[in-house]
Every structure is written in structure tokens, then in C-alpha cells.
Amino acid sequence: MTPVHAIEITDAEGTSRSCRKLGRATEYVHKIAFRVAINYIVGMLSIVTLISGRGSNFEAIVKTAQKEQWPVKFAGVIANHSAAKGLDFARSQGIPALVVEHKEHASREAFDAALIEQIDALGADLVVLAGFMRILTPGFIRHFEGRLVNIHPALLPAFPGLHTHERALEAGVKEHGATVHFVTEGIDEGPIICQASVPVLNGDDPATLAARVLTAEHQIYPRAVKWFLDGRLRIEGNQVKLQPPESQFFKL
Ligand code: GRF
């Protein structure tokens, strides 16, 4: 039987913020209580993944779950356009592959509302952003607070946003990497779950560096997801504590 899953949100930054957070955390706990109870009975948590492209991170998570026999249900993959390659892998694994076309929605809010509806219908305990190239609205992020994770191809807080490999090379950094983090309203700013670094080598171009970082991504994203599923992550302010403690940084 899977252990009861819990995310604890605490805040050390003053009373009013604490109260607001506590209110939201309580609301969140109520919202997921029913699902947690059901999942406890069936012994399995559900993941819904959002992709826009090839979906190699999604594939790495699914393959690791299969190899390590995680008690998890991949409830669905949703892409924002039908050409996303990762949909093929999902179908090959019998995972529901859905498309919510962003172009068919008049506004970001309308698109996100449609996404929320689909994700909730699939019954997600955890929403994994894996190369999902849309900016999410605050309403979407609040809806999935504490159970929405992303991977970013840089060592945050360095190089948030796009074109991280080009920017790392331009800046002349000697170390680059990837970060898995909870998603909050600031772009690429949420509490960091784990990071992996890789060296920047002489002669690297954006493609060679991206390939090295991607290998690291495929190692840390499955690990971070497993920590979540095992109920080992606790958000404290802007930090993520892993319990029992082990390194959340990997030098690869
Ligand atoms: C990855 O580099 C990820 O860090 C970024 O988008 C890319 C997605 O790759 N957010 P894939 O679709 O998982 O292969």
C-alpha cells in the first residue's frame, strides 16, 4: 500500500503572509483530501503530464517508473498542439494522449480553464510540466499549487526564461545544468526540488551543451517525481526540504 501522500506548506515570512498561506494550504488540503483517501484505498497516485514537443523527459519518467515498478498511474498526457511528438510515445504505452489546442482558445485564461477541466477529469495528484511551452495563468498555478512541477534547463536562479544554453555560453559560465522546481506565479522562480550540474566544455555549442544538460534532466526529473509520490517533499517558504534528507544536488 502506498503511504499517505502529504505536502506540508509552511512560511517563515511574517504573520499576514503566514495566514494567507495557511488559508490556501488548508483549502488545498481539503481539495485533495478526498482524492488522497481514494488513492490510499487503491494504493496509487496519478500523474498528468503537459508537453509541447518531443517529450523526452516524460519518456524518462515513464521508463524509470516502469523499471522501478512505481505504484503510479500515468493518467494522461496533454499537448497544446497535435504535432507534439511525445503524444506518440504516450499512445505506444497506452497512456491517454490528449490535445488542447491553445490556438482554438480566445485567451490564455480560456485555454487554461480548458486545461484545468481536462486535468481534473483525469484526476491528477501531480501535474508534471515537461517541455510545456505556454505561460500559465496565476489561476491555473493556484489551482494546482503544491502539486505542479517543472524542469528548467539551467541552474536557477541563473538563466530563467528561454535560450538558456546560448545564454550560458555567452556568459562564459563553466558549469550549467537543470533544475526541477515547484511552479509558482513568477516565471522559473518556484521552490527548487533538485538540481544537476554539468560542465561546460571548450568547443561546446548550444546543441552539444543542450544534449549534455538533457541527459542530466532525464536523471533528476524521475527522481524528483518519485520523491513527490513518496510524500518526501515539504515546502518551507521558498525552500523544499527532502525527508529523510539526502542530497538534492547532483554533479554529473
Ligand atoms: C527540456 O530541455 C526542458 O528542460 C525544457 O524543455 C525541454 C523539453 O524537452 N523545459 P523534452 O520535450 O522533455 O524532450
Side-chain angles (χ1 to χ4, degrees), residues 119-163:
I119 296 168
D120 284 351
L122 291 167
D125 299 293
L126 173 65
V127 179
V128 171
L129 303 180
F132 188 64
M133 302 305 286
R134 304 296 302 168
I135 293 174
L136 296 163
T137 56
F140 182 97
I141 291 166
R142 273 197 301 274
H143 187 85
F144 295 108
E145 185 179 13
R147 56 190 176 114
L148 178 62
V149 294
N150 181 44
I151 188 154
H152 180 73
L155 290 171
L156 291 171
F159 310 120
L162 298 174
H163 309 301

Side-chain angles (χ1 to χ4, degrees), residues 67-109:
K67 193 167 146 215
E68 297 178 1
Q69 300 188 312
W70 300 355
V72 68
K73 178 178 174 193
F74 289 95
V77 173
I78 305 176
N80 60 307
H81 59 92
S82 57
K85 281 286 299 157
L87 292 168
D88 297 338
F89 173 75
R91 291 188 190 108
S92 77
Q93 303 299 305
I95 298 169
L98 312 174
V99 177
V100 179
E101 286 276 0
H102 70 270
K103 285 189 186 148
E104 287 174 9
H105 293 84
S107 65
R108 220 177 262 291
E109 285 71 21

Side-chain angles (χ1 to χ4, degrees), residues 50-60 86 129-133 150-154 161 164-165 177-179 188 210 213-214 217-218 221:
L50 305 189
I51 61 169
S52 294
R54 76 194 149 189
S56 70
N57 276 288
F58 163 61
E59 196 170 328
L129 303 180
F132 188 64
M133 302 305 286
N150 181 44
I151 188 154
H152 180 73
T164 56
H165 310 304
T179 303
D188 300 325
V213 170
L214 192 64
E217 293 183 37
H218 294 166
Y221 214 178

